[in-house]
Structure formats: C-alpha cells, structure tokens
Amino acid sequence: MSSTGKTVLLTGAAGGLGVPTALAFLASGATVVAVDNNDGKIARLREAATQHQSQLVVLRADLSDLDGFRSSLAGVASSTGGFDIVINNAAIYPSKAFEEYSIAEHQAVQKVNVDAAIVAAQVALPGMRAKSWGRIVNVASITMYGGWALLSPYVASKGALVGLTRAWAREFGPYGVTVNAISPGAFPTDAEKIHPDPEGYCRFVLDHQAVKRRGTPADIASALIFLTANEAGFITGQTLNIDGGWVMH
C-alpha cells in the first residue's frame, strides 16, 4: 500500500512507536512531518531516516503550548500544501496513586494527550475537506478497556480519544475523511520503564496475551499504513486493538 504523494503529520514521532511509524511512511513514499520535543530522540530519528531526508520535515514543538503548536502547524501546512494524514500519537503518562494527582496534573495530561490532537485535527481538516480525502488515526490504549491502576489521567485521556474518534468519524465522513483509533497493548518501549520489575512485567504481559511474543513497533506501523490507505476508505469510527489478543473487544 503506497503513501506516495501524501503528507503525514505524526506527533510523538521520535518515540519508541513513532520512529518505526515515521520510517514506514517514508519508505511508503510519504512526506512525514515529524513532531516531537526531545532533541536527542529527534537526532536519532534523523539518523534513522538518512535515506529519506528529503521527505522528512521535523517540527520541534511543545504540545502543552496549544497556541504555539497551532501556529507552528499552520505554518507547516501552508508550506507543504496541508496534511493528508494525521496520526495523534504523542502522550505523557505520569504514574502515581489517584489521590496524589492534582487537578492541574490531570489537566496537563489532557492537554498533551487530547487537546493537542484536537488542534492537529482542526488545522488539518480544512485541507482534507478541500481534497475530499483525509485520514485521522488517534492512538489510544488497551488501558481504556480494562482500567489501569496509578494511571488514571492517562486512561481517561485515551478514553477521550476514542470518543473523539467516533464523533469525528460521524461528522467528517461526508467530507471523505475517515477517523479511526488504534489501541496498542504493551510494547517494549521507554513507556515500560515506569514499571519497577521489567522482567516480571514482561512475564505478566505474555501470560495475558493470546499471542505469546512481545509486540514490536512494526506491528503498529503496519496497522497505521493500512488504516490510512485508500484501501481502508470504508473503515471509520473503529478502534483496532493491537495487543496480541490481550483485550478482545
């Protein structure tokens, strides 16, 4: 499935799931606008994308600064001709007991995980409507289905993304724009460093999955390539679990 001629906006592009996704879209022929705020990770993304430098546009942005993010996106959209595909992948995930979170901390997670996705969609949608074609994919999480102790702001934000996915799919469908979500399971990325016993956590994951191997970022990238292709144009409002059969929904 080719993405040639498409411009992809990918947030969290330099993270553990973001880099393989960016590389997959670059290899598929797309221009990738890679959004992140970690200079070290951005440098590694640039290095990994050496063969596709002409297709890679890096946007260093703080997603908690929504006005600044909107302004930066609008500038890039103007110079690239707009975004055909938006993948809202960026997220933060503080971990502690519910009663220890302040309202401000809840709101900080909401701002990065949900509000920045809203801004990305708002900037991209006019161009998609003009072309009568667009794809938006929100990256949720299986934690939304089963709940997850110590991660209540994160879990709530992922539930919000699924709700937005369905509302946007209904509203944007007449424009030729599909909106879907993916819910990754447990992947061996930096996000797992919040667990105090990595080996024990790995055993826990495999015990709960139907498929007895750990997921790889390539599993995520392949699903995203499919959901954003022409061939997936009749799929919208759906949430695809990519979790080795952990949560069957």
Side-chain angles (χ1 to χ4, degrees):
M1 296 181 183
S2 173
S3 303
T4 300
K6 303 300 184 185
T7 298
V8 180
L9 171 62
L10 173 63
T11 66
L17 298 180
V19 171
T21 297
L23 295 177
F25 276 102
L26 291 168
S28 187
T31 295
V32 175
V33 178
V35 180
D36 211 289
N37 68 343
N38 185 304
D39 291 332
K41 291 182 178 180
I42 289 172
R44 289 192 287 274
L45 170 60
R46 288 186 186 278
E47 183 177 359
T50 299
Q51 295 181 349
H52 303 283
Q53 284 297 323
S54 64
Q55 300 162 241
L56 179 66
V57 178
V58 173
L59 176 60
R60 192 188 188 288
D62 176 6
L63 300 193
S64 67
D65 176 7
L66 297 176
D67 290 338
F69 182 44
R70 183 186 299 275
S71 177
S72 296
L73 281 188
V76 175
S78 177
S79 64
T80 61
F83 306 117
D84 303 291
I85 297 167
V86 173
I87 300 173
N88 289 309
N89 172 61
I92 57 175
Y93 37 86
S95 176
K96 59 184 177 181
F98 168 74
E99 62 268 25
E100 296 177 10
Y101 285 106
S102 67
I103 290 296
E105 288 171 320
H106 272 274
Q107 292 171 334
V109 174
Q110 173 86 8
K111 184 175 287 188
V112 172
N113 296 10
V114 181
D115 296 347
I118 294 172
V119 168
Q122 287 178 331
V123 172
L125 186 62
M128 293 178 174
R129 289 188 67 172
K131 298 174 185 177
S132 297
W133 196 98
R135 301 284 186 266
I136 300 173
V137 182
N138 295 318
V139 179
S141 167
I142 65 166
T143 61
M144 181 208 66
Y145 292 103
W148 219 261
L150 308 182
L151 290 171
S152 57
Y154 173 81
V155 175
S157 73
K158 296 304 182 177
L161 284 179
V162 171
L164 285 172
T165 296
R166 295 172 181 172
W168 291 351
R170 185 71 65 187
E171 185 170 344
F172 303 168
Y175 313 149
V177 177
T178 67
V179 188
N180 292 288
I182 63 169
S183 284
F187 285 78
T189 65
D190 286 348
E192 289 199 353
K193 292 180 180 179
I194 65 174
H195 298 286
D197 179 9
E199 291 185 7
Y201 182 71
C202 184
R203 290 192 298 271
F204 168 79
V205 169
L206 293 175
D207 285 345
H208 284 78
Q209 290 180 180
V211 177
K212 300 304 180 183
R213 69 163 174 85
R214 293 305 305 274
T216 69
D219 294 317
I220 299 294
S222 297
L224 290 170
I225 290 285
F226 168 67
L227 285 173
T228 57
N230 282 322
E231 290 84 349
F234 204 57
I235 302 171
T236 195
Q238 307 304 311
T239 301
L240 175 64
N241 292 351
I242 308 172
D243 63 355
W246 186 337
V247 174
M248 298 185 184
H249 177 79

